[in-house]
Amino acid sequence: MVPSPLQHMSNAIRVLSMDAVEAANSGHPGMPMGMADVATVLFTQFLKYDPQAPKWADRDRFVLSAGHGSMLLYALLHLTGYERPTMDDISKFRQLHSPCAGHPENFELEGVECTTGPLGQGLAMAVGMAMAERHLNASFGDDLVDHHTWVLAGDGCLMEGINHEAIGLAGHLGLGRLNVLWDDNRITIDGATSLSTSEDIPARFIATGWHVESCDGHDYADIARALAAAKADPRPTLIACRTIIGKGAPNKQGGSGVHGAALGGAEVAAARAELGWTLPSFELPDDILSTWRAAGARGAADRAAWEARHAAHPERAEFNRRMADKPTGTRDLQTYLEGLIEKPSGVATRKSSEMALEVLTAALPEMLGGSADLTGSNNTKTKATGPFTKDNYAGRYVYYGIREFGMAAAMNGMALHGGVVPYGGTFLVFSDYCRNAIRMSAIQRARVVYVMTHDSIGLGEDGPTHQPVEHVMSLRMIPNLNVFRPCDAVETAECWALALSTPHTPSLLALSRQNLPQVRTDVRENLSAKGAYTLRTANAARRVVLIATGSEVAIAISVADRLEEHGVGADVVSLPSWELFAAQPAAYQAEVLPAGALKVSIEAGVTLGWERYTGNDGLRFGIDSFGASAPIAALYDHFGLTPDKITPQILAKLGS
Ligand SMILES: Cc1ncc(C[n+]2csc(CCOP(=O)(O)OP(=O)(O)O)c2C)c(N)n1
Ligand SMILES: [Mg+2]
C-alpha cells in the first residue's frame, strides 16, 4: 500500500528516530515510532507555534512528559523548521555538546519547554503552565494570552504518584486548556502493563473532573476528531491514544524490546522496507521536508496577528516586563528594612518572611504564592494575594492541597511558562516529598522560591517525624539551588530580595517556627548577599570564630558573650547561604574565617559537611540523630545546643 502524505510525514519521524538511536546505539525508538502519527496530527493541525519565533509568548506549550521519547521532539523541531536541532545535531544524538541530549533539556533547545525524563513530572509541570496561562489571561485578556497546553504522557507518567496530585489539581481548577495525549501502548520496560497494573485510568481521570476521549493512535481522522473534541470541551482532557510501540519495525513492534534499545541493522533495514523509505540515514526527501516546513509555517500568520494586537495593547509594557526573565524587586523592601531598625522585630523567621512578603507581593504582581495546606504555618498568604480559583484565575494564592510534589512541579511549570514568579510553602521535612522537583527547578534554571518552615528541632512537640535534621545540608548539595537559612527578620528580608534577583536559580528559604531575636542593627548593605559575614567582632584577642545559621545565630552570640567573660575573643559569623559564600573571592572568605582561629559551627542539623568551614580540628555542634518530641527548651538542652553546654567544650578545646 502506498503511504499517504500524512503517513510519509509520520514516517519521517520514525526513520529519524530509529536512525539517531541506531547511530548512538542508545536511546528509545519505541515511543517516537508509536506516537509519530498522533504527533503529526498535533503539529500539523492543532498546535499553535512558530518555529521562527520559538519564544512567542502566546504559543501553545507542548510538554513531552515521556521524556525518554526525546527523538520524537527533536524530529518534530527539525521537520517543522526550528533553527536547531540541525540534521547534524540529530546525527549526534546523545553525544557530548549535541543539543539533542538523551532527554529533552529546556536550556539546550528552543521549543523544548521543560526538561523531562523523571516520569510524571512533565505532566505536573504542564498543570503549572496551564495555571500560569489562565492567570495571565485573567490579567491581560484574550488578545495577549490565549493558548493551550498539550502533554504527551506514557503509561509510566500515569502510574507515578505525582500524576494523581497533578490531575487532581487540574481537575479542581478546571484547566480546560490542558490536554493530555496518553500513549496507551500497554507496554513499559518490564513488559506488558498487565504485569503491574489493573487500573481503569479513564475512570480515574473522570473521577477527578476530567473529560476523556479515546482514539486509534494510528488513524489520522480519528486522532483529529479526538483532539478537536478535547479542545472544545471546557474541562481538561485525557485522550487515550491506542498505539503500537515501535510501529514500523516489522518484527519488533508491539513488544517492550523496542522501548529503549537500538533496533539493530537488520530490523532498521526491515523497517525501511516496511515504510517504503529508500534514502540513507539523516537524509530527508525534499517533498516530505517541504510539506513539514509548510505545516511549521502555519503559525506565522497567527503570530503576526498577535504581534499587531500586542503593539496596540495599552498594557504591553507591563506584559513585557512580566514575561521578561529578569531580576525583580522593589525599593519598598529597603524602606521596610529601615523600619526594622527603628522597631526591631523578635518574631519567627516564618513570620518575618510573611512580613517581607506583604511588602513584596503588594509591589510585585508577578508573585504567585501558595502552600500545600499549611498556609497558617508557612505564613505564605498576604493581603495582596487573593485565592486563585476556578472562578477567579486572577487570584494570586494557590491552595495546592496536600500535594507537595505536585505543587513543586507546578511551580516549575509556572516559572518556565513565564510571567509569574511562583513561591510555595510546606514544612522543611517534607522537602523530601518534592525533592526531585526541587532538583528539576535547579536543572531547568527556574526561578521558584520554596518557603520551607519548621526548619529544625525548634518546632518542638511534633517530634522526629516533623523535625528536619539532614535536610538543610542535603539541599545544599543540589547544584544551582540557593539554600538560605536566615537568622532574623533583617536577614529574612535580605534573602527574599536575593531569591527574586536570580531569574535562573531557584531558592529555598529554611525558616524557623520559633521566635528569634533581631540581631542585625544595620541594613545599609544586603550582607546576606555575601553568603556569610562577621556579625560581631571579638573584643578580647580573637581565638575563636563561631559560625552559625538561622536560629542558632542567637545561640552563637550568647556563647561568644560567655567566652569573652573568660577573656577569650570570639567572632560570630552568620552564614545564611553556603552557595553565595562559596562564590566570594578567597580573600573575603579568609577575612571572615581567618586562619589560626578555632572554628566552631553551630547548626541544629547534621554536622556532616561542616568540616568544610571548621576544618577537622574545629568543633561542630549539631544533631547527628533524629530529634525527639518535647518542648523546645528541653530539646535544645537535650541535644546540647545551649550556651551552657557549648561554652565549656570550646574552653576545654582551647585548654583555658
Ligand atoms: C521517575 C522515573 N522512574 C523510572 C524511570 C525509568 N523509566 C524510563 S521509561 C520507563 C518506562 C515507561 O513506560 P512508558 O511510559 O509506558 O513508556 P513506553 O515504554 O511506552 O515508551 C521507565 C521505568 C524514569 N525515567 N523516571
Ligand atoms: Mg507504554
Side-chain angles (χ1 to χ4, degrees):
M1 203 176 77
V2 180
S4 70
L6 277 172
Q7 279 170 333
H8 274 305
M9 293 174 84
S10 309
N11 289 345
I13 298 174
R14 294 190 165 96
V15 173
L16 278 179
S17 299
M18 72 180 185
D19 285 350
V21 172
E22 206 62 25
N25 194 23
S26 159
H28 302 77
M31 193 281 256
M33 296 178 81
M35 281 300 273
D37 299 320
V38 174
T40 300
V41 173
L42 178 65
F43 274 70
T44 57
Q45 296 176 39
F46 288 88
L47 195 73
K48 180 170 81 168
Y49 64 108
D50 182 355
Q52 304 306 314
K55 294 285 182 204
W56 167 27
D58 199 31
R59 69 192 182 278
D60 281 0
R61 303 303 197 265
F62 173 71
V63 173
L64 188 81
S65 190
H68 57 280
S70 55
M71 261 316 302
L72 177 79
L73 185 49
Y74 302 148
L76 287 163
L77 296 180
H78 179 76
L79 290 166
T80 54
Y82 284 78
E83 196 180 335
R84 303 284 291 271
T86 61
M87 193 59 97
D88 187 53
D89 294 331
I90 290 179
S91 71
K92 295 183 178 129
F93 177 53
R94 291 188 160 232
Q95 306 308 307
L96 199 62
H97 306 311
S98 168
C100 297
H103 293 83
E105 296 171 357
N106 64 308
F107 45 91
E108 287 289 353
L109 283 174
E110 289 183 320
V112 174
E113 302 287 357
C114 55
T115 297
T116 51
L119 298 175
Q121 280 194 68
L123 168 59
M125 286 191 276
V127 171
M129 291 180 187
M131 290 166 71
E133 190 272 342
R134 282 296 85 189
H135 180 66
L136 292 166
N137 171 273
S139 307
F140 294 98
D142 288 348
D143 276 356
L144 289 189
V145 186
D146 183 17
H147 54 270
H148 288 74
T149 304
W150 300 87
V151 182
L152 195 166
D155 299 304
C157 292
L158 301 190
M159 233 184 260
E160 290 287 353
I162 189 173
N163 99 90
H164 180 69
E165 298 182 22
I167 71 164
L169 192 59
H172 177 69
L173 292 172
L175 301 174
R177 283 153 177 272
L178 175 66
N179 296 312
V180 176
L181 308 163
W182 167 29
D183 180 15
D184 179 15
N185 61 20
R186 304 186 189 178
I187 291 287
T188 65
I189 293 177
D190 277 358
T193 49
S194 58
L195 288 169
S196 58
T197 181
S198 313
E199 187 175 298
D200 182 342
I201 291 176
R204 184 163 60 81
F205 273 72
I206 288 166
T208 330
W210 285 56
H211 162 229
V212 174
E213 288 285 332
S214 55
C215 67
D216 175 341
H218 303 301
D219 175 332
Y220 297 105
D222 201 32
I223 298 165
R225 174 203 52 76
L227 267 57
K231 230 177 137 172
D233 196 279
R235 294 162 293 179
T237 298
L238 173 75
I239 306 150
C241 309
R242 272 298 277 133
T243 61
I244 297 167
I245 189 169
K247 186 163 193 315
N251 307 301
K252 293 195 168 180
Q253 66 182 25
S256 60
V258 288
H259 160 90
L263 298 178
E267 185 69 1
V268 168
R272 277 191 145 66
E274 169 95 2
L275 300 173
W277 201 273
T278 50
L279 285 178
S281 296
F282 307 119
E283 281 183 35
L284 293 168
D286 289 342
D287 57 331
I288 296 180
L289 184 59
S290 49
T291 315
W292 262 116
R293 292 281 153 94
R298 9 179 288 288
D302 260 352
R303 200 246 302 179
W306 181 87
E307 276 175 358
R309 292 197 301 276
H310 176 255
H313 202 283
E315 289 184 86
R316 72 181 173 284
E318 173 60 8
F319 180 75
N320 293 347
R321 187 191 72 79
R322 286 207 215 167
M323 292 303 293
D325 218 4
K326 294 272 167 57
T328 188
T330 167
R331 287 201 191 89
D332 296 352
L333 199 66
Q334 188 58 28
T335 312
Y336 159 75
L337 278 165
E338 283 155 16
L340 283 176
I341 297 305
E342 275 161 38
K343 199 163 168 279
S345 165
V347 296
T349 48
R350 62 183 171 129
K351 180 70 183 170
S352 307
S353 168
E354 179 189 319
M355 287 154 53
L357 275 173
E358 284 291 357
V359 178
L360 293 167
T361 55
L364 301 169
E366 59 268 41
M367 292 184 74
L368 194 73
S371 167
D373 201 47
L374 288 168
T375 295
S377 300
N378 301 146
N379 299 66
T380 32
K381 178 130 176 21
T382 63
K383 288 184 210 72
T385 55
F388 175 95
T389 65
K390 191 177 176 166
D391 303 316
N392 183 22
Y393 291 127
R396 293 172 54 199
Y397 193 81
V398 183
Y399 290 102
Y400 284 102
I402 306 96
R403 300 183 177 106
E404 295 82 7
F405 197 7
M407 171 178 76
M411 291 199 294
N412 283 337
M414 289 179 203
L416 293 167
H417 178 281
V420 295
V421 176
Y423 69 90
T426 183
F427 288 153
L428 179 61
V429 81
F430 302 131
S431 60
D432 289 338
Y433 269 53
C434 52
R435 188 174 170 102
N436 200 268
I438 299 174
R439 183 172 192 272
M440 292 303 290
S441 310
I443 287 189
Q444 298 183 95
R445 306 175 191 169
R447 178 170 43 189
V448 171
V449 187
Y450 294 94
V451 181
M452 299 285 190
T453 70
H454 297 58
D455 70 349
S456 75
I457 55 161
L459 66 86
E461 293 83 349
D462 272 346
T465 55
H466 283 53
Q467 292 162 344
V469 173
E470 73 280 24
H471 298 76
V472 172
M473 193 59 86
S474 75
L475 288 160
R476 288 177 182 137
M477 292 179 187
I478 298 180
N480 192 38
L481 172 68
N482 285 340
V483 178
F484 294 103
R485 191 162 186 256
C487 72
D488 72 353
V490 171
E491 274 194 6
T492 304
E494 289 180 339
C495 293
W496 260 113
L498 293 166
L500 297 177
S501 73
T502 53
H504 304 299
T505 299
S507 296
L508 184 145
L509 304 175
L511 303 170
S512 76
R513 172 180 187 253
Q514 72 271 34
N515 288 342
L516 299 175
Q518 185 177 317
V519 299
R520 279 282 294 283
T521 53
D522 186 347
V523 295
R524 278 171 300 179
E525 184 188 350
N526 184 333
L527 294 174
S528 301
K530 293 185 165 154
Y533 60 94
T534 305
L535 177 66
R536 221 175 81 155
T537 310
N539 282 327
R542 179 179 58 211
R543 296 181 65 196
V544 175
V545 176
L546 298 160
I547 315 158
T549 74
S551 45
E552 284 67 66
V553 170
I555 296 171
I557 291 172
S558 299
V559 172
D561 285 342
R562 306 241 179 138
L563 291 172
E564 297 278 355
E565 283 165 17
H566 286 82
V568 173
D571 280 2
V572 175
V573 169
S574 177
L575 205 171
S577 167
W578 281 42
E579 297 79 16
L580 297 187
F581 187 52
Q584 298 306 308
Y588 176 75
Q589 294 179 4
E591 184 188 318
V592 174
L593 301 179
L598 173 68
K599 317 284 191 316
V600 179
S601 68
I602 312 176
E603 183 174 71
V606 292
T607 57
L608 178 68
W610 273 107
E611 301 84 352
R612 166 182 279 197
Y613 294 124
T614 65
N616 280 336
D617 50 353
L619 288 176
R620 291 162 292 281
F621 294 93
I623 304 173
D624 290 312
S625 63
F626 292 115
S629 169
I632 177 171
L635 287 171
Y636 268 81
D637 183 61
H638 177 73
F639 288 103
L641 294 177
T642 61
D644 276 353
K645 295 213 162 146
I646 293 171
T647 313
Q649 295 182 64
I650 296 174
L651 291 172
K653 176 85 177 174
L654 291 171
S656 49

